[in-house]
Structures are given as C-alpha cells and as structure tokens.
Amino acid sequence: MKKLSSLLLIVLAVMIGASYSASAQNVQLYYDAGRNCATSTVEMFRPDSFGSTYLFVDVDYAPKAVGAYWEIAREFNFWQDSPVGWLSVHVEYDGGLSTAAGSFNNAWLGGLTYSGHSKDFSKTWSISAMYKAIPGTRDAMNRAQVHNFQLTGVWSITFAKGWCLFSGFVDFWREVRPWQNTEYIFITEPQFWVNLNKIKGWEKINLSVGGEVELSNNFVDRGFHVMPAVGLKWTF
C-alpha cells in the first residue's frame, strides 16, 4: 500500500481552504527486492470546494501483471475556518485482485483525521482513527467478523532546500485471518526521494530517484518481514 505524502495533502488542502486549487499526480516504478518483482503505482490527488479526493492503484508484475490493489479516499471538511479546522471526516474504500490469492476482501472505512504542519509546510503529518468494515471476513468457526478498526499515520518531511523528501505511512488494523492464526496486522512504508529537478537546467524534469522499505507484521505472510525496493517517480 502506497499512501505516502499525497494522502497527507488531502488533509492539508482542506486546512488551506477551498481557494487552494493545486492538484498532484505521479507515477512510480519499483523493483521490489523482497518479492523479486516490479510494482507500478499511479497516484492522484485533487482538492475541491468540499474537501479533496485521493486514490492510488498498485500493479505487481512477475513479469506479467499478477496482482492489483487500489484505494480511494475522500476527506470532508466544511469548517476549515473554525477552531476545529484541523479535524476532518475520512471515508475510504480498499480492494484488489491477485492471481495467487484471488479477490481481496472489500474494505470500507470511515472515521476522523487529525492533522498538522510546520509554518512553511515542509513538515506535515496526520493521524486517522477509523471503523473498518470487511464484509468477507470470517473466523476459523466460520463466524462473520465484519466489524474492525484501523489506525493510520502519515508524514512528509522536505529538506535540503527541496532536494530530498522523507515520507511514508503506518497502518495498524484488525482483520481476522484464520489461515495465519492472527487478527492484527501492521505495515509501514517509509520512503526517501531525491528530486532531480533541483539540478540546474533540469527544472522541468520532474523525476525523483529513491525507494522504500516495507516493514510489516502478519501482512502477506505471518510474522515480521522487511522488504526493500528501489524506484523512480515522475510527478506531473
């Protein structure tokens, strides 16, 4: 999952206000050393007068497409000029397909997001607490386990005069998985990027080089795993 800094922009655009008209899209391509496959990510962020919308789509290749996953999230904030303008309402859908695992369980999330930033917006963060409904979840006794929760944190730090970006997310949620004998999942994906458009003469080349490290527990397989990846990112 690639929530990354674009997800945090959803919250920040609401805080800045409806007059903020910026949007952001990017395409990322990784070589995932942990899974020995390639992954592409397409992200889109767009604010409007009622908040903003964010989505991303991941596709794994080994070498042909073997899996796809997407999330779409909406932030609502009609009160950005009030004393609680830092608080927004978050709704989200997650789902995907895999040739190995078949269709992933659909997940529907709703909750609140609390966010903040430095004066120059070079440092931003958010924390979301959400109810998570996963209709297809059942335990080992075949009893429905629809009602769950998720906690999400997102951060973004731009430094070295705009040359570098350190960003990422952390998720912790409940999802009963009898085949793994677990019901709590943790994942974080810190990323580091170097922005090549800071090179003199390259101002219009919006290419970044870097990568990420996926740290997870009970995510794909039971137990703790570390999966590094190197990548390229083009921002439109």
Side-chain angles (χ1 to χ4, degrees), residues 140-201:
M141 303 297 292
N142 202 33
R143 295 172 298 194
Q145 297 289 329
V146 176
H147 307 295
N148 301 280
F149 71 88
Q150 180 166 311
L151 302 175
T152 294
V154 182
W155 74 88
S156 176
I157 303 172
T158 302
F159 60 101
K161 297 182 178 181
W163 276 89
C164 300
L165 173 67
F166 176 58
S167 60
F169 74 91
V170 55
D171 284 340
F172 175 72
W173 75 96
R174 179 181 183 269
E175 180 180 351
V176 174
R177 294 180 173 181
W179 64 92
Q180 291 181 339
N181 192 29
T182 187
E183 60 180 271
Y184 295 103
I185 298 95
F186 168 87
I187 182 172
T188 182
E189 291 184 3
Q191 293 193 346
F192 177 78
W193 297 102
V194 176
N195 301 315
L196 301 186
N197 61 4
K198 305 303 292 184
I199 299 174
K200 186 176 180 179

Side-chain angles (χ1 to χ4, degrees), residues 7 14 22 41 51 54 84 87-88 118 128 165 169 197 226:
L7 180 58
V14 171
T41 299
Y54 168 79
V84 291
L87 190 67
S88 58
S118 62
S128 299
L165 173 67
F169 74 91
N197 61 4
V226 178

Side-chain angles (χ1 to χ4, degrees), residues 82-127:
S82 75
V84 291
W86 43 264
L87 190 67
S88 58
V89 175
H90 180 102
V91 293
E92 182 179 331
Y93 166 79
D94 308 340
L97 296 168
S98 168
T99 56
S103 178
F104 302 153
N105 288 331
N106 295 322
W108 305 87
L109 299 89
L112 298 175
T113 296
Y114 173 71
S115 59
H117 60 86
S118 62
K119 289 184 179 180
D120 61 357
F121 285 86
S122 63
K123 300 177 181 64
T124 58
W125 56 268
S126 73
I127 300 173

